[in-house]
Each structure stands twice: as structure tokens, then as C-alpha cells.
Amino acid sequence: MSILGVNGALADVYQYANRAQKTATNGTSFTEQLQKTGETGASKADAYTEYLKQRYGAGVSIQNVGKDQRSMDNIGAGTAGTGNVVIASNILEQMANDPEKAAYYEKKIQDYFNSVPRFQAELSAMGHEIHSSGIVIHPDGTVTHYISGDLKPEVRAKIEAKIKAEDEEKAKRKRRYQELSQEAAQKRKQEMEIAYKKRSMTELIANQAAETSRITYAGTPETMSSVIEAYGMSALTMPGILK
């Protein structure tokens, strides 16, 4: 075992930790973590993962996440809070073995945590709340921030109340339109019935007048000649017959 119980395989990480990462947030140094690792026989990657959890919290996880939208949606749905740090396994190995890589990505992680209060305030001003957010270091080394959230309950309630009021107003206008349509249809029906009755009455009066003006002559065969003669004389006296 080398100094502080760190074996030869972990010596280079110990030197890096002693130079660049003296103390984690809970007061446990990376050096002390590596000492425990050497005593238990754990790998450098395991020791470094434990160190990251001590520094950034229990939200640190090691998994490979794609950059496609579906993969990011899944990680957003599968995490909670704002302390999520997702690191690809190959990148973790690089960080555990290369101090420069570790410093580079740890700066990225810290930048994310530093930005959380700002985007929380911005989203809150827009009426939203964060359900989950974090930083993802992908297998190709690129870094993505993600945020998953929704409207604040009070904002959602206000919007739903407004939508409900608008729907009720639309339903009210629709009912009124239907009522006016029914009234108009009933009025048209009544007007048509009145017009029909007037026309029928006019036709009836005209028929009765025609019947009244029609002259009917009746008699025995012996008297028909005198009837015809009387009709002919009356016709000759009608206007337009004699000129």
C-alpha cells in the first residue's frame, strides 16, 4: 500500500485529488475516499463515483443516455428534483483516470448547478414549476441540460376556470342561436300557413263568383226553342256584339 493506504493502481488518482479536488461538499476529501477505496479493493471508477455523489448529491448516476428526444424525455420522466447528474460510463472512466477530463466535466456540472436558481426564477415568472432537471454527459462527451415541469397549480386552476367560463359562454350562445332558429322556423311556418289560407280563400271566392255568374237554362223540350231564342237576343245586346 502506498501513502494513506492507496494502492499503486490508485496512486495517480490520489495525486490528482490532492492537487485539484481537495474537499467535497460534505467535508470528505477525494483523497480520503480513495484511501477507503484502497482498503476495500474498489475500482477507481467506483471511488470517483462516490466522490461525485458526496460532492453533488445522491442524484449522480452512471448511465448511457442518447441525445435523441425520446431518450431525453425518458430521463426527464425518470428523475425528480434539480440535483440530477447523469454521466456515461466511458466518460466516468476518463474522469477517474484523467485529471484534466475530470476538471473539465466537473466545471460543466458546477455550471449547471450555478444556473439552476436563474432558470427556476425565469420559469416561475412564466407560471411554471420544475419537476425535474439535470445535466447529462453523453457517451460522445457532449453535454445536455434538461428540464421537465408543468404549470403551477394555481396558474393551472386559473387557466382551467377561464376555459370553463369560455366553454359555458359558447354553449349559451349556441343555445340562444338554436332558440332563435326555432323561432324563425316557427314564424316562417305560420306565415306559410297564413299565405296558404289566404290563397285558398281567394280561390274559393273566385270559384263562388264563377258559379254565380254562370247562367243555367232548363226546360222541357217543347220550351227549349223559346229559351234559346231569349238567350240569343240577350247575347246580341251584350257590349261588343252589336257594332
Side-chain angles (χ1 to χ4, degrees):
M1 298 287 289
S2 61
I3 296 177
L4 297 178
V6 181
N7 58 32
L10 298 179
D12 55 338
V13 183
Y14 163 69
Q15 292 171 1
Y16 155 66
N18 208 26
R19 180 175 69 252
Q21 302 290 340
K22 287 291 184 181
T23 306
T25 55
N26 67 350
T28 301
S29 69
F30 192 18
T31 302
E32 294 170 345
Q33 184 62 43
L34 287 176
Q35 180 180 3
K36 295 178 181 178
T37 300
E39 294 171 351
T40 60
S43 68
K44 286 191 292 184
D46 290 339
Y48 190 66
T49 301
E50 188 61 29
Y51 160 73
L52 292 175
K53 288 182 178 181
Q54 290 175 355
R55 182 174 182 184
Y56 299 113
V60 175
S61 63
I62 311 304
Q63 56 179 308
N64 297 339
V65 177
K67 293 185 289 184
D68 58 285
Q69 190 62 51
R70 183 175 181 180
S71 296
M72 295 305 299
D73 288 344
N74 288 339
I75 199 68
T79 56
T82 59
N84 300 290
V85 179
V86 183
I87 305 173
S89 57
N90 63 311
I91 300 299
L92 178 73
E93 288 288 345
Q94 295 176 24
M95 294 171 71
N97 290 280
D98 185 341
E100 292 185 1
K101 286 283 187 180
Y104 173 80
Y105 286 114
E106 285 184 28
K107 183 179 184 304
K108 295 288 187 182
I109 295 170
Q110 191 58 52
D111 287 344
Y112 159 73
F113 279 103
N114 292 341
S115 69
V116 169
R118 174 178 54 79
F119 64 68
Q120 277 182 323
E122 291 174 352
L123 289 172
S124 180
M126 297 167 61
H128 291 259
E129 62 181 4
I130 298 173
H131 293 170
S132 173
S133 69
I135 178 173
V136 178
I137 304 176
H138 302 282
D140 64 357
T142 58
V143 176
T144 301
H145 292 184
Y146 70 89
I147 300 176
S148 174
D150 203 347
L151 292 170
K152 295 179 180 179
E154 62 273 19
V155 175
R156 177 177 293 278
K158 185 176 181 180
I159 293 174
E160 290 176 348
K162 182 179 180 181
I163 293 174
K164 182 180 179 181
E166 291 175 349
D167 290 343
E168 290 176 350
E169 182 61 27
K170 288 179 181 178
K172 182 179 178 180
R173 289 198 300 267
K174 183 177 180 180
R175 288 194 300 269
R176 182 55 182 160
Y177 173 78
Q178 291 174 342
E179 291 173 356
L180 292 174
S181 297
Q182 291 174 356
E183 291 174 1
Q186 184 65 26
K187 185 177 181 180
R188 287 194 299 271
K189 181 180 178 182
Q190 292 174 351
E191 290 174 347
M192 291 176 65
E193 289 177 349
I194 292 172
Y196 175 76
K197 289 178 180 179
K198 287 182 178 179
R199 185 176 62 188
S200 299
M201 184 62 68
T202 301
E203 291 176 352
L204 177 61
I205 293 172
N207 290 336
Q208 289 177 344
E211 289 293 335
T212 303
S213 65
R214 185 179 299 121
I215 300 175
T216 303
Y217 297 94
T220 62
E222 291 78 8
T223 60
M224 282 301 294
S225 59
S226 60
V227 171
I228 293 171
E229 182 179 358
Y231 178 76
M233 292 300 293
S234 63
L236 289 174
T237 60
M238 293 178 65
I241 298 297
L242 297 176
K243 298 182 180 179

